[in-house]
């Protein structure tokens, strides 16, 4: 369990393309939950248009704010894109990279994830790098190979000194937004594999420092058993992070582990 390994538990919300500024305001005003910051970290990854409001309202709190994507260049002729430098400038601390929805709908690949990761780390932001297999890949029993490849390509040429700013989220695609959660054993097995691969890429010691999240239909009712797994250090939570009571409950559960 995270606590034994001295890793924090990260409760991270991914709002996707949901919530306007008014809803963001209402959510954050209601997010009055106490937690031990030595043990638990709380993050909300909001749409770009809500970053200003969210950052302003969390100025004096322990809640961190992040984006859900960025470009790999700092500026230039990339109409419609947002750079890591821009995120840094407004005070965002985190950014999700390589979410399966971005891979599926926006042609994101391990190569672009790698370019984005390098740019994000250069700008001293923290990256939540998502990996995960499809249902077909799981049925074909190639989950571990797929995850290894995503990690090796996605984390190519990343220096060990940047490891402290990398978080991995294991999100089996078949469990995202489907209500199907991986069992705690399935999630732990893959997260242990991720830690072993990180050990090969960096070093065993460094791999022990990296937070590995599970994501895929995590909610208040199932988060405790997931967060208690040896190699799982929290959750990347989509649907259930839109409900402030549920999100608060998950933070309290993490705080009590
Ligand atoms: C996600 O968006 O990263 C996610 C895991 O979604 P959900 O919790 O809704 O399955």
């Amino acid at each position: 369990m995270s606590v034994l390994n001295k890793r924090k538990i990260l409760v991270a919300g991914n709002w996707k393309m949901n919530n306007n500024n008014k809803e963001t305001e209402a959510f954050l005003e209601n997010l009055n939950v106490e937690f031990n910051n030595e043990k638990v970290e709380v993050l909300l990854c909001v749409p770009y248009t809500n970053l200003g409001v969210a950052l302003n309202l969390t100025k004096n709190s322990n809640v961190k704010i992040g984006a859900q994507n960025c470009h790999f260049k700092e500026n230039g002729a990339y109409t419609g894109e947002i750079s890591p430098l821009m995120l840094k400038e407004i005070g965002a601390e985190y950014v999700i990279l390589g979410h399966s929805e971005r891979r599926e709908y926006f042609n994101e690949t391990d190569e672009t994830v790698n370019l984005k990761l390098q740019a994000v780390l250069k700008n001293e932001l923290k990256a939540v790098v998502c990996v995960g297999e499809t249902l077909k890949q799981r049925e074909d029993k190639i989950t571990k190979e797929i995850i290894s490849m995503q990690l090796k390509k996605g984390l190519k040429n990343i220096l060990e000194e940047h490891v402290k700013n990398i978080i991995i989220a294991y999100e089996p695609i078949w469990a995202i937004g489907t209500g199907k959660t991986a069992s705690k054993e399935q999630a732990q097995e893959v997260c242990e594999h991720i830690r072993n691969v990180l050990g090969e890429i960096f070093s065993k010691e460094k791999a022990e420092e990296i937070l590995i999240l599970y994501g895929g239909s995590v909610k208040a009712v199932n988060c405790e058993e997931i967060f208690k797994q040896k190699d799982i250090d929290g959750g990347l939570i989509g649907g259930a992070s839109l409900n402030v009571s549920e999100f608060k409950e998950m933070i309290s559960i993490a705080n009590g582990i």
Side-chain angles (χ1 to χ4, degrees):
M1 160 163 91
S2 319
V3 176
L4 295 178
N5 292 319
K6 296 193 175 59
R7 291 188 298 266
K8 282 190 179 184
I9 301 178
L10 175 58
V11 181
N14 172 17
W15 279 3
K16 312 191 186 194
M17 199 170 68
N18 293 296
N19 282 344
N20 60 26
N21 275 323
K22 261 205 161 354
E23 289 160 336
T24 304
E25 234 175 85
F27 186 102
L28 290 170
E29 272 157 14
N30 276 306
L31 192 63
N32 49 350
V33 57
E34 301 233 328
F35 58 93
N36 175 359
N37 202 226
E38 298 288 304
K39 190 168 148 185
V40 175
E41 188 132 326
V42 176
L43 166 66
L44 277 174
C45 293
V46 304
Y48 292 132
T49 48
N50 302 6
L51 282 169
V53 166
L55 285 163
N56 200 24
L57 286 171
T58 51
K59 256 198 313 244
N60 302 314
S61 85
N62 286 329
V63 176
K64 313 282 185 193
I65 299 297
Q68 301 166 13
N69 177 42
C70 66
H71 198 266
F72 48 81
K73 290 283 174 93
E74 291 188 350
N75 45 51
Y78 301 98
T79 303
E81 291 292 322
I82 299 284
S83 79
L85 180 63
M86 291 165 172
L87 295 176
K88 181 76 187 173
E89 272 172 1
I90 61 161
E93 286 185 62
Y94 287 77
V95 56
I96 297 173
L97 296 179
H99 191 281
S100 62
E101 287 152 14
R102 295 219 50 91
R103 292 179 192 254
E104 184 177 353
Y105 307 126
F106 303 99
N107 301 323
E108 201 132 300
T109 62
D110 293 324
E111 287 72 22
T112 55
V113 170
N114 181 252
L115 290 173
K116 290 178 181 199
L117 180 61
Q118 300 200 37
V120 161
L121 295 173
K122 183 175 167 221
N123 285 283
E124 293 171 340
L125 294 162
K126 290 182 197 270
V128 180
V129 180
C130 300
V131 295
E133 82 285 6
T134 62
L135 185 58
K136 168 96 175 50
Q137 289 163 340
R138 175 159 284 265
E139 286 170 352
D140 289 347
K141 302 194 186 325
I142 54 168
T143 296
K144 288 187 183 167
E145 285 87 334
I146 294 296
I147 303 288
S148 299
M149 192 179 65
Q150 290 173 337
L151 288 171
K152 285 180 182 159
K153 289 186 174 176
L155 271 55
K156 195 171 161 197
N157 296 330
I158 300 300
L159 302 175
E160 231 184 77
E161 67 194 67
H162 287 137
V163 160
K164 61 180 188 305
N165 287 332
I166 299 175
I167 292 143
I168 306 295
Y170 167 53
E171 299 209 311
I173 296 168
W174 48 272
I176 297 180
T178 59
K180 280 188 206 147
T181 319
S183 69
K184 59 183 191 307
E185 292 82 9
Q186 284 173 321
Q188 163 57 25
E189 187 187 1
V190 179
C191 289
E192 182 179 18
H193 173 70
I194 290 174
R195 204 171 296 289
N196 291 337
V197 177
L198 294 171
E200 289 166 25
I201 298 173
F202 302 109
S203 66
K204 223 173 162 340
E205 294 68 41
K206 280 281 163 208
E208 284 300 318
E209 292 171 19
I210 300 177
L211 297 189
I212 302 175
L213 311 181
Y214 167 77
S217 300
V218 174
K219 7 183 175 3
V221 69
N222 60 20
C223 69
E224 183 166 6
E225 60 174 24
I226 292 170
F227 295 170
K228 279 185 170 168
Q229 298 305 303
K230 182 176 158 287
D231 289 291
I232 301 180
D233 309 304
L236 183 56
I237 302 149
S241 73
L242 294 169
N243 180 317
V244 72
S245 316
E246 179 125 20
F247 195 60
K248 272 160 56 163
E249 205 177 327
M250 289 186 276
I251 296 169
S252 298
I253 290 168
N255 198 47
I257 288 175

